[in-house]
Amino acid sequence: MRFENRVDAGLRLADALEGLRGTDVVVLGLPRGGIPVAYQVARCLHAPLDVLVVRKLGVPWQPELAFGAIGEGGVHVLNDDVVAATGVTPQEQAEVEQRERAELVRRVSAYRAGRPPAPLDGRTVVVVDDGLATGATATAACQVVRGQGAARIVLAVPVAPDRIPARLSEVADEVVCLETPSGFGSVGAWYRDFEQTDDAEVGALLARAIRPAPDAGDLPPDPEVEVPADRVRLAARFALPSGAPAVVAFAHGSGSSRHSPRNQYVAAELNRAGLGTLLLDLLTEGEENDRGNVFDTVLLARRLRAAADWLRQETGLPVSYFGASTGAAACLEAAADDDGILAIVSRGGRPDLASTAVLARVRAPTLLVVGSLDTEVLSLNRLAADRLHCEHRLAVVPGATHLFTESGTLAAVSSLARDWFTSHLTRPDSAVRHPSSA
């Protein structure tokens, strides 16, 4: 089974490691690609995350083929089979190692940013990568961890060739691998989205992991508030963690409200990431009885813009939108006339209900999240994505239907939304236009 992306792989890996939740465990990710996977594992296990820097030693004329690896603490591992098969000479090996050792030192400095490594002595350590090809890097990683006093090492990866896990059981106490195909090919072949992870993303994920996230009890009360709009007052639930950099306004779909358990779940995850949330009913109870209002995206967008203005006045913070079903079209319609919106996320949305002209005017980076089994809505989202001129992405959650009721699928939505919002906390535009100043 292929993985949608590294977030999906991390969530599936976390399910397999559920038994470690609540134990004295630390998660170490191998950069760069292993860090997004490890981040999800650490988050789900409620465990600390750190980086473990090792470098693959690639055959000079075939760099993707590793003849060995090096790690922190002077660890050096050779794959004798590859050395014999390729004939790479000792001098060639030394030249590659010198170059990779310099890169290892640079990365340690960049990723740790002066922070000391997480203490491993006597703890269970989960070493995570996005996949293994030869196992040389993972072997070096396990040896580094063992040398730092780990009591137990669990090597966890989404995919590896069928022969690799047994071989690595010599250096790890347990190997967890979700897929072990006999016809392996490459790690990237097992992902639909295998976009390269850069240093900036690694640094951001590590910084986010070490920042204390507020527990539910640490959040301010989630009061019922009323937001003025269109000469009515709209019921909403408002939460603003201390130091929040932005607020996300939720626009619900037909038949849903601020009490939606799915949107409350996503909002709680955003709160834990430090973001404020406003779960807003865009219609009054009386208006909801007219089904025509539910699909009146112009009306809903006008109400949403009023809520964004209210949030800016009340908090002084920038605003993003999260829309579900018909609420997604309202978000896009509202953002088309408000360049101050930082970002938009649609969950099982109907962006196709916004006109082509509206979609072309949206400037806020937009993430469309759809379940793989929600085939009709997925097709509509693809059509809408083609009409967006802004930064955008279509993320498909494997095994999910329209309401994301399947195990782990709503967690995947929450992770995607959180990462999208937190990575778009500023707009690159030199000038920001709000509707009130247009």
Side-chain angles (χ1 to χ4, degrees):
M1 179 185 297
R2 295 175 71 194
F3 303 97
E4 185 63 31
N5 49 37
R6 291 183 179 89
V7 171
D8 174 41
L11 291 169
R12 291 200 224 172
L13 205 53
D15 286 341
L17 297 166
E18 177 67 24
L20 293 176
R21 186 196 295 266
T23 65
D24 186 16
V25 60
V26 61
V27 178
L28 301 182
L30 300 182
R32 297 182 177 103
I35 296 295
V37 181
Y39 179 85
Q40 299 302 329
V41 172
R43 187 182 65 83
C44 293
L45 296 184
H46 299 159
L49 171 68
D50 201 358
V51 62
L52 179 59
V53 183
V54 293
R55 293 294 295 170
K56 180 171 62 177
L57 302 177
V59 175
W61 53 88
Q62 193 176 350
E64 288 303 310
L65 178 60
F67 67 80
I70 56 174
E72 295 179 72
V75 171
H76 177 278
V77 179
L78 281 183
N79 186 320
D80 293 331
D81 292 342
V82 175
V83 171
T86 61
V88 59
T89 67
Q91 181 178 348
E92 290 168 333
Q93 294 175 36
E95 290 173 353
V96 172
E97 180 171 351
Q98 182 180 17
R99 183 172 61 252
E100 294 299 337
R101 182 69 65 181
E103 178 63 11
L104 183 143
V105 171
R106 184 196 70 79
R107 290 197 180 194
V108 168
S109 175
Y111 297 154
R112 294 204 187 283
R115 299 184 298 267
L120 307 183
D121 191 30
R123 307 176 77 177
T124 295
V125 177
V126 181
V127 177
V128 178
D129 204 352
D130 57 5
L132 304 177
T134 66
T137 304
T139 298
C142 291
Q143 291 184 340
V144 169
V145 169
R146 188 75 72 188
Q148 294 179 349
R152 180 172 176 239
I153 300 174
V154 179
L155 177 62
V157 295
V159 62
D162 55 358
R163 68 187 186 280
I164 295 294
R167 180 191 299 173
L168 290 174
S169 63
E170 299 175 3
V171 293
D173 299 293
E174 182 181 356
V175 178
V176 175
C177 185
L178 303 182
E179 298 289 340
T180 55
S182 55
F184 178 73
S186 67
V187 172
W190 292 88
Y191 287 80
R192 290 186 175 87
D193 177 1
F194 199 62
E195 183 177 348
Q196 278 200 341
T197 303
D198 59 21
D199 285 348
E201 182 179 356
V202 171
L205 289 172
L206 291 171
R208 189 183 307 156
I210 66 170
R211 183 173 63 231
D215 294 327
D218 296 331
L219 288 171
D222 189 11
E224 291 280 333
V225 297
E226 290 186 339
V227 177
D230 269 357
R231 289 182 281 186
V232 299
R233 301 189 71 83
L234 304 174
R237 294 172 63 88
F238 182 43
L240 189 66
S242 177
V247 185
V248 179
F250 281 65
H252 312 293
S254 59
S256 188
S257 72
R258 67 192 185 282
H259 301 300
S260 161
R262 290 176 291 278
N263 282 343
Q264 287 192 13
Y265 178 94
V266 175
E269 290 299 304
L270 297 183
N271 294 153
R272 291 188 178 91
L275 296 170
T277 53
L278 181 76
L279 282 79
L280 179 70
D281 291 353
L282 293 175
L283 300 173
T284 65
E285 290 186 9
E287 290 171 335
E288 289 174 350
N289 294 327
D290 182 349
R291 293 295 292 173
N293 289 329
V294 174
F295 292 92
D296 187 345
T297 58
V298 174
L299 169 65
L300 300 179
R302 189 167 65 243
R303 300 272 175 92
L304 193 55
R305 283 194 296 270
D309 284 343
W310 180 85
L311 282 169
R312 290 169 181 137
Q313 293 168 6
E314 292 292 317
T315 68
L317 297 174
V319 177
S320 292
Y321 288 150
F322 182 100
S325 190
T326 55
C331 290
L332 293 163
E333 184 98 33
D337 295 320
D338 184 352
D339 286 349
I341 298 302
L342 292 182
I344 301 170
V345 173
S346 161
R347 171 183 66 81
R350 290 292 309 276
D352 58 292
L353 294 177
S355 69
T356 299
V358 164
L359 293 174
R361 295 204 314 272
V362 174
R363 292 293 174 264
T366 299
L367 174 67
L368 307 174
V369 185
V370 188
S372 67
L373 303 182
D374 193 9
T375 53
E376 182 177 354
V377 171
L378 179 55
S379 296
L380 294 171
N381 272 254
R382 285 180 172 138
L383 289 172
D386 289 340
R387 295 167 182 160
L388 287 169
H389 296 174
C390 59
E391 176 191 349
H392 63 276
R393 177 185 164 204
L394 175 62
V396 181
V397 178
T401 52
H402 184 62
L403 295 180
F404 296 88
T405 55
E406 296 75 20
S407 176
T409 57
L410 195 56
V413 172
S414 301
S415 296
L416 288 164
R418 181 197 61 234
D419 292 347
W420 190 261
F421 288 133
T422 55
S423 64
H424 292 92
L425 289 175
T426 59
R427 288 290 302 277
D429 311 63
S430 58
V432 173
R433 174 174 56 87
H434 293 176
S436 58
S437 61

